[in-house]
Amino acid sequence: MTVHLGIPQVLGNRPQFEGLKDRYGRVATDLRVSLTDKCNLRCSYCMPAEGLPWLVKDAVLTAGEIVRLVGIGVDLLGVRELRLTGGEPLVRADVVDIVAALRAAHPGLPIALTTNAVGLDKKAAPLKAAGLTRINISLDTLHPETFARLARRPFFDRVLAGIEAADAAGLGPIKINSVLMRGINDGDAPDLLAWCLERDYELRFIEQMPLDADHGWTREGMVSAAEIRAILGERFRLSPDQRARDGAPAERFEVRGLEGDAILGTVGIIASVTEPFCADCKRTRITAEGKVMSCLFSHEEVDLRGLLRSGAGDAEIASRWQDAMWLKPRAHGMEHTGLGAADFVQPDRTMSAIGG
């Protein structure tokens, strides 16, 4: 093995190909770009109570650099979907301008945004007008006290106001993301599902992953997908959604009441730990400082910001990006699945510093 431009290379050259292909035949078409590492919550499954050392301003990609990288992804590398993430993307003052510039450059590109909804009440309508397609919102409970315990901030009402504003602005279908923590909010799952079904929101439960800053995650301590299905089964009947999953992280289920056959809506479960879907992964991620992370759990990061600022052309940047994805691990940062396995090493970055 040798190291070239920060990327470990096996002897010989990688084959020439179009798009963002890896050694296992997967092709990434779903781009996640983090706008910032900063966040205004301190969720216990993500960040420490005191927060993290933030990137200095010059280290973060500028709006122009973000637009250029997305353009390279779309025009040269086959990217077909874009999601803007964080940290918390609404913390960034120019988020609406970024969306508008991306929409102007790519009129047909689906552009989504993942947010905790704090401040969304003021930005939902401008984001929709700028060209945002839809939105994902994190909400782990319907109880203000539990919310404050998990998020370490008393912003429950602000989140609800943001969700209502997104709905009113037409940023649907709205997806609600929820992480269940054992003994804290796992019992809230049926009520949260009922609340989402009443409003035609698509709820997605996400297994807690070992991406917390406190490194307190344990396989035994997390609420598994099987447990989530069992908890929901106390109030609803779930059956597999007949639509093709097509590489989506969530396995979707049709939801019915315990009596009657009427479909009330759908719910998704993202079981990254216990039922991994790595073989069908279509995602490529760029961090707030312009580094490619081919996998959430990758220990290799490939810098594109340096190339951008050195005057490199689009073709050179695209080639570096392809190098990064060619070396994507099979699963969970390793050559096999196994979050919590003896040989699993949690990456240094937290979820907030990677971008979902």
Side-chain angles (χ1 to χ4, degrees), residues 197 235-239 254-266:
L197 292 171
R235 187 165 166 185
F236 301 98
R237 285 187 295 133
L238 306 184
S239 57
E254 295 175 343
V255 182
R256 295 175 173 82
L258 294 181
E259 297 182 1
D261 292 326
I263 298 175
L264 305 177
T266 62

Side-chain angles (χ1 to χ4, degrees), residues 85 109 124 208 218 222 228 334 336 355:
T85 69
L109 181 68
Q208 183 199 6
T218 65
M222 57 158 281
I228 294 170
M334 308 178 289
H336 62 87

Side-chain angles (χ1 to χ4, degrees), residues 10 64 108-109 151 156 160 184 278 336:
V10 294
L109 181 68
F156 178 74
L160 288 191
I184 300 177
C278 303
H336 62 87

Side-chain angles (χ1 to χ4, degrees), residues 3-310:
V3 176
H4 177 61
L5 295 177
I7 310 171
Q9 298 279 355
V10 294
L11 294 178
N13 297 321
R14 68 162 171 79
Q16 297 298 306
F17 49 77
E18 296 181 354
L20 293 170
K21 185 183 294 186
D22 66 35
R23 292 168 292 166
Y24 305 103
R26 299 168 295 191
V27 180
T29 57
D30 182 349
L31 171 59
R32 313 289 174 96
V33 178
S34 175
L35 301 188
T36 179
D37 61 325
K38 295 179 180 177
C39 189
N40 42 22
L41 299 183
R42 298 291 182 270
C43 297
S44 59
Y45 51 78
C46 181
M47 299 180 69
E50 65 276 12
L52 293 165
W54 307 129
L55 293 168
V56 298
K57 183 176 181 180
D58 288 346
V60 178
L61 292 172
T62 67
E65 289 169 340
I66 291 168
V67 173
R68 185 179 172 199
L69 283 177
V70 171
I72 292 170
V74 171
D75 297 334
L76 300 182
L77 296 172
V79 165
R80 295 293 174 263
E81 296 180 69
L82 172 65
R83 181 184 305 279
L84 303 176
T85 69
E88 171 47 51
L90 298 187
V91 169
R92 186 152 171 165
D94 58 354
V95 61
V96 174
D97 295 334
I98 290 172
V99 171
L102 290 167
R103 176 56 66 216
H106 309 286
L109 181 68
I111 305 175
L113 182 142
T114 297
T115 174
N116 62 32
V118 176
L120 184 59
D121 56 329
K122 297 179 178 62
K123 293 186 177 178
L127 284 167
K128 176 66 176 180
L132 189 68
T133 307
R134 64 173 188 81
I135 204 158
N136 284 34
I137 298 171
S138 299
L139 180 65
D140 299 321
T141 179
L142 294 174
H143 301 286
E145 299 82 5
T146 306
F147 179 94
R149 180 181 176 186
L150 285 168
R152 301 187 178 111
R153 295 291 186 274
F155 294 163
F156 178 74
D157 290 342
R158 295 175 66 180
V159 172
L160 288 191
I163 294 173
E164 292 171 0
D167 200 356
L171 285 171
I174 292 174
K175 294 185 178 181
I176 303 293
N177 296 338
S178 180
V179 177
L180 297 182
M181 302 291 285
R182 190 177 303 282
I184 300 177
N185 68 330
D186 47 342
D188 298 347
D191 286 344
L192 186 57
L193 177 55
W195 185 84
C196 288
L197 292 171
E198 290 170 2
R199 291 158 178 78
D200 201 26
Y201 303 156
E202 183 173 328
L203 177 60
R204 307 193 311 172
F205 291 104
I206 304 172
E207 287 185 335
Q208 183 199 6
M209 292 179 282
L211 291 169
D212 58 312
D214 295 326
H215 287 218
W217 180 93
T218 65
R219 172 65 180 80
E220 298 73 22
M222 57 158 281
V223 182
S224 70
E227 291 176 282
I228 294 170
R229 291 191 291 266
I231 293 168
L232 297 178
E234 297 172 3
R235 187 165 166 185
F236 301 98
R237 285 187 295 133
L238 306 184
S239 57
D241 192 310
Q242 298 304 307
R243 289 171 291 182
R245 188 166 175 177
D246 192 28
E251 181 179 7
R252 296 161 106 176
F253 298 89
E254 295 175 343
V255 182
R256 295 175 173 82
L258 294 181
E259 297 182 1
D261 292 326
I263 298 175
L264 305 177
T266 62
V267 65
I269 299 178
I270 300 177
S272 302
V273 180
T274 63
E275 300 165 13
F277 41 88
C278 303
D280 295 321
C281 181
K282 295 184 177 181
R283 281 160 294 288
T284 182
R285 291 177 173 84
I286 296 178
T287 67
E289 72 270 45
K291 294 182 178 181
V292 178
M293 287 197 69
S294 60
C295 169
L296 273 176
F297 302 95
S298 178
H299 296 277
E300 298 293 339
E301 301 177 5
V302 180
D303 180 41
L304 299 185
R305 186 194 65 198
L307 277 182
L308 284 169
R309 296 181 181 179
S310 72

